[in-house]
Coordinates of all heavy atoms in Angstrom, one line a residue:
M103 N 79.4 -10.4 -14.8 CA 79.6 -10.5 -16.2 C 80.6 -11.6 -16.4 O 81.6 -11.6 -15.8 CB 80.2 -9.2 -16.7 CG 80.6 -9.2 -18.1 SD 81.3 -7.5 -18.6 CE 80.6 -7.4 -20.2
A104 N 80.3 -12.4 -17.4 CA 81.1 -13.5 -17.8 C 82.5 -13.1 -18.4 O 82.4 -12.0 -19.1 CB 80.5 -14.5 -18.7
K105 N 83.6 -13.8 -18.3 CA 84.8 -13.5 -18.9 C 84.7 -13.7 -20.4 O 83.9 -14.7 -20.7 CB 86.0 -14.2 -18.3 CG 86.3 -14.0 -16.8 CD 87.4 -14.9 -16.4 CE 87.6 -14.6 -14.8 NZ 88.7 -15.6 -14.4
K106 N 85.5 -13.2 -21.1 CA 85.5 -13.5 -22.6 C 86.2 -14.9 -22.8 O 87.2 -15.1 -22.2 CB 86.2 -12.4 -23.4 CG 85.5 -11.1 -23.4 CD 86.1 -10.2 -24.5 CE 85.3 -9.0 -24.7 NZ 85.7 -8.1 -25.7
F107 N 85.6 -15.6 -23.6 CA 86.2 -17.0 -23.8 C 87.2 -16.9 -24.9 O 86.9 -16.6 -26.0 CB 85.0 -17.9 -24.1 CG 85.5 -19.4 -24.1 CD1 85.5 -20.0 -22.9 CD2 85.7 -20.1 -25.2 CE1 85.9 -21.4 -22.8 CE2 86.1 -21.4 -25.2 CZ 86.1 -22.0 -24.0
P108 N 88.5 -17.2 -24.7 CA 89.5 -17.2 -25.7 C 89.3 -18.3 -26.7 O 88.9 -19.4 -26.5 CB 90.8 -17.4 -24.9 CG 90.4 -18.1 -23.8 CD 89.0 -17.8 -23.4
L109 N 89.5 -17.9 -28.0 CA 89.3 -18.8 -29.1 C 90.5 -19.8 -29.2 O 90.2 -21.0 -29.4 CB 89.3 -18.1 -30.5 CG 88.0 -17.2 -30.7 CD1 88.0 -16.6 -32.1 CD2 86.7 -18.0 -30.5
N110 N 91.7 -19.4 -29.1 CA 92.8 -20.3 -29.1 C 93.9 -19.9 -28.2 O 94.8 -19.2 -28.6 CB 93.5 -20.3 -30.6 CG 92.6 -20.9 -31.6 OD1 92.1 -22.0 -31.4 ND2 92.2 -20.3 -32.7
P111 N 93.7 -20.2 -26.8 CA 94.8 -20.0 -26.0 C 96.0 -20.6 -26.2 O 96.1 -21.7 -26.8 CB 94.1 -20.3 -24.6 CG 93.2 -21.4 -25.0 CD 92.7 -21.0 -26.4
K112 N 97.1 -20.1 -25.7 CA 98.4 -20.7 -25.9 C 98.7 -22.1 -25.3 O 99.2 -23.0 -25.9 CB 99.6 -19.8 -25.4 CG 99.8 -18.6 -26.3 CD 101.0 -17.7 -25.9 CE 101.1 -16.6 -26.8 NZ 102.4 -15.8 -26.5
H113 N 98.3 -22.2 -24.0 CA 98.4 -23.5 -23.4 C 97.1 -24.0 -22.7 O 96.9 -23.8 -21.5 CB 99.4 -23.4 -22.2 CG 100.8 -23.2 -22.7 ND1 101.6 -24.1 -23.4 CD2 101.6 -22.0 -22.9 CE1 102.7 -23.6 -23.8 NE2 102.7 -22.3 -23.5
P114 N 96.2 -24.4 -23.5 CA 94.8 -24.6 -23.0 C 94.8 -25.9 -22.0 O 94.0 -26.0 -21.1 CB 93.9 -25.0 -24.1 CG 95.0 -25.5 -25.2 CD 96.2 -24.8 -24.9
E115 N 95.8 -26.7 -21.9 CA 96.0 -27.8 -21.2 C 96.3 -27.5 -19.7 O 96.1 -28.3 -18.8 CB 97.1 -28.8 -21.7 CG 98.4 -28.4 -21.6 CD 98.9 -27.4 -22.7 OE1 98.2 -27.1 -23.6 OE2 100.1 -27.0 -22.6
R116 N 96.6 -26.3 -19.5 CA 96.9 -25.8 -18.1 C 95.8 -25.3 -17.4 O 95.9 -25.0 -16.1 CB 98.1 -24.7 -18.2 CG 99.3 -25.1 -18.7 CD 100.3 -23.9 -18.8 NE 101.6 -24.4 -19.4 CZ 102.6 -23.5 -19.6 NH1 102.4 -22.2 -19.4 NH2 103.5 -23.9 -20.2
I117 N 94.6 -25.2 -18.0 CA 93.4 -24.6 -17.4 C 92.2 -25.5 -17.5 O 92.1 -26.1 -18.5 CB 93.1 -23.1 -18.0 CG1 94.4 -22.3 -17.8 CG2 91.9 -22.5 -17.4 CD1 94.3 -21.0 -18.5
C118 N 91.4 -25.4 -16.6 CA 90.0 -26.0 -16.6 C 89.0 -25.0 -17.3 O 88.9 -23.9 -16.8 CB 89.6 -26.5 -15.3 SG 87.9 -27.3 -15.4
W119 N 88.4 -25.4 -18.3 CA 87.4 -24.4 -19.1 C 85.9 -24.7 -18.8 O 85.1 -24.3 -19.4 CB 87.7 -24.5 -20.5 CG 89.1 -24.2 -20.9 CD1 90.1 -25.2 -21.0 CD2 89.7 -23.1 -21.1 NE1 91.2 -24.6 -21.3 CE2 91.0 -23.2 -21.3 CE3 89.2 -21.7 -21.0 CZ2 92.0 -22.2 -21.5 CZ3 90.0 -20.7 -21.2 CH2 91.4 -20.9 -21.5
G120 N 85.7 -25.4 -17.6 CA 84.3 -25.8 -17.3 C 83.4 -24.6 -16.7 O 82.2 -24.8 -16.8
C121 N 84.0 -23.6 -16.3 CA 83.2 -22.5 -15.8 C 84.0 -21.2 -15.9 O 85.1 -21.1 -16.5 CB 82.8 -22.7 -14.3 SG 84.2 -22.7 -13.2
D122 N 83.5 -20.1 -15.3 CA 84.1 -18.8 -15.5 C 85.3 -18.6 -14.6 O 86.0 -17.6 -14.6 CB 83.2 -17.7 -15.2 CG 82.2 -17.5 -16.3 OD1 82.5 -18.0 -17.4 OD2 81.1 -16.8 -16.2
R123 N 85.6 -19.6 -13.7 CA 86.8 -19.5 -12.8 C 88.0 -19.8 -13.5 O 89.1 -19.2 -13.0 CB 86.6 -20.6 -11.7 CG 85.4 -20.2 -10.7 CD 85.4 -21.2 -9.7 NE 84.1 -21.0 -8.8 CZ 83.9 -21.8 -7.8 NH1 84.6 -22.8 -7.4 NH2 82.7 -21.5 -7.2
Y124 N 88.1 -20.6 -14.6 CA 89.3 -20.9 -15.3 C 90.5 -21.4 -14.3 O 91.5 -20.8 -14.3 CB 89.8 -19.8 -16.1 CG 88.8 -19.4 -17.2 CD1 88.8 -18.1 -17.7 CD2 87.9 -20.2 -17.6 CE1 87.9 -17.7 -18.7 CE2 87.0 -19.9 -18.6 CZ 87.0 -18.6 -19.1 OH 86.2 -18.2 -20.1
C125 N 90.2 -22.3 -13.5 CA 91.1 -22.9 -12.5 C 92.3 -23.5 -13.1 O 92.2 -24.1 -14.1 CB 90.4 -23.9 -11.6 SG 89.1 -23.2 -10.7
P126 N 93.5 -23.4 -12.4 CA 94.6 -24.3 -12.8 C 94.3 -25.7 -12.9 O 93.5 -26.1 -12.0 CB 95.7 -23.9 -11.9 CG 95.3 -22.7 -11.2 CD 93.8 -22.7 -11.2
A127 N 94.8 -26.6 -13.8 CA 94.5 -27.9 -13.9 C 94.9 -28.7 -12.6 O 94.3 -29.7 -12.3 CB 95.1 -28.5 -15.1
T128 N 95.9 -28.2 -12.0 CA 96.4 -28.9 -10.8 C 95.6 -28.5 -9.5 O 95.8 -29.1 -8.4 CB 97.8 -28.6 -10.5 OG1 98.0 -27.1 -10.4 CG2 98.7 -29.1 -11.6
S129 N 94.7 -27.5 -9.5 CA 94.0 -27.0 -8.4 C 92.6 -26.6 -8.7 O 92.2 -25.5 -8.8 CB 94.8 -25.8 -7.8 OG 94.0 -25.3 -6.6
L130 N 91.7 -27.6 -9.0 CA 90.4 -27.3 -9.4 C 89.5 -27.0 -8.2 O 89.5 -27.6 -7.2 CB 89.7 -28.5 -10.2 CG 90.5 -29.1 -11.3 CD1 90.0 -30.2 -11.9 CD2 90.5 -27.9 -12.4
A131 N 88.8 -25.9 -8.4 CA 87.9 -25.4 -7.2 C 86.6 -26.2 -7.1 O 85.8 -26.0 -6.2 CB 87.6 -23.8 -7.4
C132 N 86.2 -26.9 -8.3 CA 85.0 -27.7 -8.2 C 84.8 -28.8 -7.2 O 83.8 -29.1 -6.7 CB 84.7 -28.2 -9.5 SG 84.5 -27.0 -10.9
G133 N 86.0 -29.3 -6.8 CA 86.0 -30.3 -5.8 C 85.4 -31.6 -6.1 O 85.1 -31.9 -7.3
N134 N 85.4 -32.5 -5.2 CA 84.8 -33.9 -5.3 C 85.5 -34.7 -6.5 O 84.8 -35.3 -7.2 CB 83.3 -33.8 -5.4 CG 82.6 -33.2 -4.2 OD1 83.1 -33.5 -3.1 ND2 81.4 -32.7 -4.4
G135 N 86.7 -34.6 -6.6 CA 87.4 -35.3 -7.6 C 87.1 -35.0 -9.1 O 87.1 -35.7 -9.9
A136 N 86.7 -33.7 -9.2 CA 86.4 -33.2 -10.5 C 87.6 -33.3 -11.5 O 88.7 -33.2 -11.0 CB 85.9 -31.7 -10.5
D137 N 87.2 -33.5 -12.7 CA 88.3 -33.6 -13.9 C 88.3 -32.3 -14.5 O 87.3 -31.6 -14.6 CB 88.0 -34.7 -14.9 CG 88.1 -36.1 -14.3 OD1 88.9 -36.2 -13.3 OD2 87.5 -37.0 -14.6
R138 N 89.4 -32.0 -15.2 CA 89.5 -30.8 -16.0 C 88.7 -30.9 -17.2 O 88.7 -31.9 -18.0 CB 91.0 -30.6 -16.4 CG 91.3 -29.3 -17.2 CD 92.7 -29.3 -17.6 NE 93.0 -30.1 -18.7 CZ 92.9 -29.7 -20.0 NH1 92.4 -28.5 -20.3 NH2 93.2 -30.4 -21.0
T139 N 88.0 -29.8 -17.5 CA 87.2 -29.6 -18.7 C 88.1 -29.1 -19.9 O 88.7 -28.1 -19.7 CB 86.0 -28.7 -18.5 OG1 85.2 -29.2 -17.5 CG2 85.2 -28.6 -19.9
M140 N 88.2 -29.8 -21.0 CA 89.1 -29.5 -22.1 C 88.5 -28.3 -22.8 O 87.4 -28.1 -22.9 CB 89.3 -30.6 -23.0 CG 90.0 -31.8 -22.3 SD 90.1 -33.2 -23.4 CE 91.4 -32.7 -24.6
H141 N 89.4 -27.5 -23.4 CA 89.1 -26.4 -24.2 C 88.6 -27.0 -25.6 O 89.2 -28.0 -26.0 CB 90.2 -25.4 -24.5 CG 89.9 -24.2 -25.2 ND1 89.8 -24.1 -26.5 CD2 89.6 -23.0 -24.6 CE1 89.4 -22.9 -27.0 NE2 89.4 -22.1 -25.8
P142 N 87.6 -26.4 -26.2 CA 87.2 -26.9 -27.5 C 88.3 -27.0 -28.6 O 88.2 -27.9 -29.4 CB 86.1 -25.9 -28.0 CG 85.5 -25.3 -26.7 CD 86.8 -25.3 -25.8
A143 N 89.3 -26.1 -28.5 CA 90.3 -26.1 -29.4 C 91.2 -27.5 -29.3 O 91.8 -28.1 -30.2 CB 91.2 -25.0 -29.3
E144 N 91.2 -28.1 -28.1 CA 91.9 -29.4 -27.9 C 91.2 -30.5 -28.4 O 91.7 -31.4 -28.9 CB 92.0 -29.6 -26.3 CG 92.9 -28.6 -25.6 CD 92.9 -28.9 -24.1 OE1 93.8 -29.7 -23.7 OE2 92.1 -28.3 -23.4
L145 N 89.8 -30.3 -28.6 CA 89.0 -31.5 -29.0 C 88.8 -31.4 -30.6 O 88.8 -32.3 -31.3 CB 87.7 -31.5 -28.4 CG 87.7 -31.7 -26.8 CD1 86.2 -31.4 -26.3 CD2 88.1 -33.2 -26.6
L146 N 88.5 -30.1 -31.1 CA 88.1 -29.9 -32.5 C 89.2 -29.2 -33.4 O 88.9 -29.0 -34.5 CB 86.7 -29.2 -32.5 CG 85.6 -29.8 -31.8 CD1 84.4 -28.9 -31.7 CD2 85.3 -31.2 -32.4
G147 N 90.2 -28.8 -32.8 CA 91.2 -28.0 -33.5 C 91.0 -26.5 -33.4 O 90.1 -26.0 -32.8
E148 N 91.9 -25.8 -34.1 CA 92.0 -24.4 -33.9 C 90.7 -23.7 -34.5 O 90.4 -22.5 -34.1 CB 93.3 -23.8 -34.6 CG 94.6 -24.1 -33.9 CD 95.7 -23.6 -34.4 OE1 95.6 -22.7 -35.3 OE2 96.9 -23.9 -34.0
D149 N 90.0 -24.2 -35.5 CA 88.8 -23.7 -36.0 C 87.6 -24.2 -35.5 O 86.6 -24.2 -36.1 CB 88.9 -23.8 -37.6 CG 88.9 -25.2 -37.9 OD1 89.2 -26.1 -37.1 OD2 88.7 -25.5 -39.2
W150 N 87.5 -24.5 -34.2 CA 86.5 -25.1 -33.4 C 85.3 -24.3 -33.4 O 84.1 -24.8 -33.5 CB 86.9 -25.5 -32.1 CG 87.1 -24.2 -31.2 CD1 88.3 -23.7 -31.0 CD2 86.3 -23.5 -30.4 NE1 88.2 -22.5 -30.2 CE2 86.9 -22.4 -29.8 CE3 84.9 -23.6 -30.2 CZ2 86.3 -21.5 -29.1 CZ3 84.3 -22.7 -29.3 CH2 85.0 -21.7 -28.8
Y151 N 85.4 -23.0 -33.4 CA 84.2 -22.1 -33.4 C 83.4 -22.2 -34.7 O 82.2 -21.8 -34.7 CB 84.6 -20.7 -32.9 CG 85.7 -20.1 -33.9 CD1 85.3 -19.4 -35.1 CD2 87.0 -20.2 -33.6 CE1 86.2 -18.9 -35.9 CE2 87.9 -19.7 -34.5 CZ 87.5 -19.0 -35.6 OH 88.6 -18.5 -36.4
I152 N 84.0 -22.6 -35.7 CA 83.2 -22.7 -37.0 C 82.2 -23.8 -36.9 O 81.2 -23.8 -37.6 CB 84.2 -22.8 -38.2 CG1 85.1 -21.7 -38.3 CG2 83.5 -23.1 -39.5 CD1 86.2 -21.8 -39.3
F153 N 82.5 -24.9 -36.2 CA 81.6 -26.1 -36.1 C 80.4 -25.8 -35.2 O 79.5 -26.5 -35.2 CB 82.4 -27.3 -35.5 CG 83.5 -27.7 -36.4 CD1 84.9 -27.6 -36.0 CD2 83.3 -28.3 -37.6 CE1 85.9 -28.0 -36.8 CE2 84.4 -28.8 -38.5 CZ 85.7 -28.5 -38.0
E154 N 80.5 -24.8 -34.3 CA 79.4 -24.6 -33.4 C 78.2 -23.9 -34.1 O 78.2 -23.7 -35.3 CB 80.0 -23.7 -32.3 CG 81.0 -24.3 -31.4 CD 80.4 -25.6 -30.7 OE1 79.3 -25.5 -30.3 OE2 81.2 -26.6 -30.6
D155 N 77.3 -23.4 -33.4 CA 76.2 -22.7 -33.9 C 76.4 -21.3 -34.3 O 75.3 -20.7 -34.8 CB 75.0 -22.8 -32.9 CG 75.4 -22.0 -31.7 OD1 76.5 -21.5 -31.5 OD2 74.5 -21.9 -30.8
G156 N 77.5 -20.8 -34.3 CA 77.9 -19.5 -34.7 C 77.6 -18.3 -33.8 O 77.6 -17.2 -34.1
S157 N 77.4 -18.8 -32.4 CA 77.2 -17.7 -31.4 C 78.5 -17.1 -31.0 O 78.4 -16.0 -30.3 CB 76.5 -18.4 -30.3 OG 77.3 -19.4 -29.6
I158 N 79.6 -17.6 -31.4 CA 80.9 -16.9 -31.0 C 81.4 -16.3 -32.2 O 81.7 -16.9 -33.2 CB 81.9 -18.0 -30.5 CG1 81.4 -18.6 -29.2 CG2 83.3 -17.3 -30.2 CD1 82.3 -19.7 -28.6
D159 N 81.6 -15.0 -32.2 CA 82.1 -14.2 -33.3 C 83.6 -14.0 -33.1 O 84.0 -13.3 -32.0 CB 81.4 -12.8 -33.5 CG 80.0 -13.1 -33.9 OD1 79.7 -14.0 -34.6 OD2 79.2 -12.2 -33.4
P160 N 84.5 -14.5 -33.9 CA 85.9 -14.2 -33.7 C 86.2 -12.7 -33.8 O 85.5 -12.0 -34.7 CB 86.6 -15.0 -34.8 CG 85.6 -15.2 -35.9 CD 84.2 -15.2 -35.1
V161 N 87.2 -12.2 -33.2 CA 87.7 -10.9 -33.4 C 88.4 -10.8 -34.8 O 89.3 -11.4 -35.1 CB 88.6 -10.5 -32.3 CG1 89.1 -9.0 -32.5 CG2 88.0 -10.6 -31.0
V162 N 87.7 -9.9 -35.7 CA 88.2 -9.7 -37.0 C 88.5 -8.2 -37.2 O 87.7 -7.5 -36.8 CB 87.1 -10.2 -38.1 CG1 87.6 -10.0 -39.4 CG2 86.7 -11.7 -37.8
E163 N 89.6 -8.0 -37.9 CA 89.9 -6.6 -38.1 C 89.0 -6.2 -39.1 O 88.9 -6.8 -40.2 CB 91.4 -6.5 -38.6 CG 92.4 -6.8 -37.4 CD 93.8 -6.6 -37.9 OE1 94.0 -5.8 -38.7 OE2 94.6 -7.2 -37.3
T164 N 88.5 -4.9 -39.0 CA 87.6 -4.3 -40.0 C 88.2 -3.2 -40.6 O 89.1 -2.6 -40.0 CB 86.2 -4.0 -39.4 OG1 86.3 -3.1 -38.3 CG2 85.5 -5.3 -38.8
K165 N 87.6 -2.7 -41.7 CA 88.0 -1.4 -42.3 C 87.6 -0.2 -41.5 O 86.5 -0.3 -40.8 CB 87.5 -1.4 -43.7 CG 88.1 -2.4 -44.6 CD 87.5 -2.3 -45.9 CE 88.1 -3.4 -46.9 NZ 87.6 -3.3 -48.3
S166 N 88.1 1.0 -41.7 CA 87.7 2.1 -41.1 C 86.3 2.5 -41.6 O 86.0 2.1 -42.7 CB 88.6 3.2 -41.2 OG 88.7 3.7 -42.5
P167 N 85.5 3.3 -40.8 CA 84.2 3.7 -41.3 C 84.3 4.4 -42.7 O 83.4 4.3 -43.5 CB 83.7 4.7 -40.2 CG 84.5 4.2 -39.0 CD 85.7 3.7 -39.5
T168 N 85.3 5.2 -42.9 CA 85.3 5.9 -44.2 C 85.6 5.0 -45.4 O 85.0 5.1 -46.4 CB 86.6 7.0 -44.2 OG1 87.7 6.3 -43.7 CG2 86.2 8.1 -43.2
E169 N 86.4 3.9 -45.1 CA 86.6 2.9 -46.2 C 85.2 2.1 -46.4 O 85.0 1.7 -47.5 CB 87.7 1.9 -45.8 CG 89.1 2.5 -45.7 CD 90.1 1.5 -45.3 OE1 89.7 0.7 -44.4 OE2 91.2 1.6 -45.7
L170 N 84.4 1.8 -45.4 CA 83.2 1.2 -45.5 C 82.2 2.0 -46.2 O 81.5 1.5 -47.0 CB 82.7 0.8 -44.1 CG 83.4 -0.2 -43.4 CD1 82.8 -0.5 -42.0 CD2 83.5 -1.6 -44.1
D171 N 82.2 3.4 -46.0 CA 81.2 4.2 -46.7 C 81.5 4.2 -48.2 O 80.5 4.4 -49.0 CB 81.3 5.6 -46.1 CG 80.8 5.7 -44.7 OD1 80.1 4.8 -44.3 OD2 81.1 6.6 -44.0
S172 N 82.7 4.2 -48.6 CA 83.0 4.2 -50.0 C 82.5 3.1 -50.8 O 82.2 3.1 -52.0 CB 84.5 4.5 -50.2 OG 85.2 3.4 -49.8
G173 N 82.4 1.9 -50.1 CA 81.8 0.7 -50.8 C 80.4 0.4 -50.7 O 79.9 -0.5 -51.3
I174 N 79.6 1.3 -50.2 CA 78.2 1.2 -50.0 C 77.5 1.5 -51.3 O 77.8 2.6 -51.8 CB 77.6 1.9 -48.8 CG1 78.3 1.5 -47.6 CG2 76.0 1.8 -48.9 CD1 77.8 2.3 -46.4
Q175 N 76.7 0.6 -51.8 CA 75.9 0.9 -53.0 C 74.6 1.6 -52.7 O 74.0 1.3 -51.8 CB 75.6 -0.3 -53.8 CG 76.9 -1.0 -54.3 CD 76.6 -2.3 -55.1 OE1 75.4 -2.7 -55.2 NE2 77.6 -2.9 -55.7
Q176 N 74.4 2.7 -53.5 CA 73.1 3.4 -53.3 C 71.9 2.7 -53.9 O 72.0 2.1 -54.9 CB 73.1 4.9 -53.8 CG 74.3 5.6 -53.1 CD 74.0 5.8 -51.7 OE1 72.9 5.9 -51.2 NE2 75.1 5.8 -50.9
P177 N 70.7 2.7 -53.3 CA 69.5 2.1 -53.9 C 69.3 2.7 -55.3 O 69.4 3.9 -55.5 CB 68.4 2.2 -53.0 CG 68.9 3.3 -52.0 CD 70.3 3.3 -52.0
V178 N 68.7 1.9 -56.3 CA 68.4 2.4 -57.6 C 67.1 3.0 -57.5 O 66.1 2.5 -57.0 CB 68.4 1.2 -58.6 CG1 67.9 1.7 -59.9 CG2 69.7 0.5 -58.6
Q179 N 66.9 4.3 -58.0 CA 65.7 5.0 -58.0 C 64.9 4.7 -59.4 O 65.5 4.7 -60.3 CB 65.9 6.6 -58.0 CG 66.6 7.1 -56.9 CD 65.7 7.1 -55.6 OE1 64.6 7.2 -55.8 NE2 66.4 6.9 -54.4
R180 N 63.7 4.3 -59.3 CA 62.9 4.0 -60.4 C 61.7 4.8 -60.6 O 61.1 5.4 -59.9 CB 62.3 2.5 -60.2 CG 63.5 1.5 -60.4 CD 62.9 0.1 -60.4 NE 64.1 -0.8 -60.2 CZ 64.1 -2.0 -60.6 NH1 63.1 -2.5 -61.1 NH2 65.1 -2.8 -60.5

């Protein structure tokens, strides 16, 4: 199972984001002179996930089920 990808980590420059290993930038496990892969937030800003195809859903606080039930409109009977 893949690790959850953080939307806005505190220090993205300290980690390579190229695979699920998340190696320290000073000790890359990929070898052969590999460079660190930057986090999308470093390239596109904090709202980077909005520019993508929408496959990443940010964690959003939702209302409780009882609050949601009270806002549901019932279909109109004709």
Side-chain angles (χ1 to χ4, degrees):
M103 177 181 217
K105 295 179 184 179
K106 288 190 176 188
F107 194 78
L109 294 180
N110 292 308
K112 289 187 178 186
H113 296 282
E115 69 279 359
R116 297 181 182 174
I117 298 173
C118 176
W119 301 97
C121 65
D122 287 343
R123 293 182 186 179
Y124 299 157
C125 300
T128 58
S129 178
L130 300 177
C132 299
N134 294 332
D137 291 332
R138 181 183 81 85
T139 302
M140 295 176 73
H141 189 278
E144 294 177 87
L145 299 170
L146 302 172
E148 292 183 7
D149 59 349
W150 65 270
Y151 55 89
I152 295 172
F153 297 112
E154 295 295 322
D155 62 357
S157 61
I158 298 177
D159 294 327
V161 177
V162 179
E163 292 185 26
T164 59
K165 296 180 180 180
S166 68
T168 54
E169 291 175 329
L170 291 175
D171 291 340
S172 63
I174 297 175
Q175 296 179 355
Q176 298 298 325
V178 177
Q179 299 286 333
R180 292 183 186 206

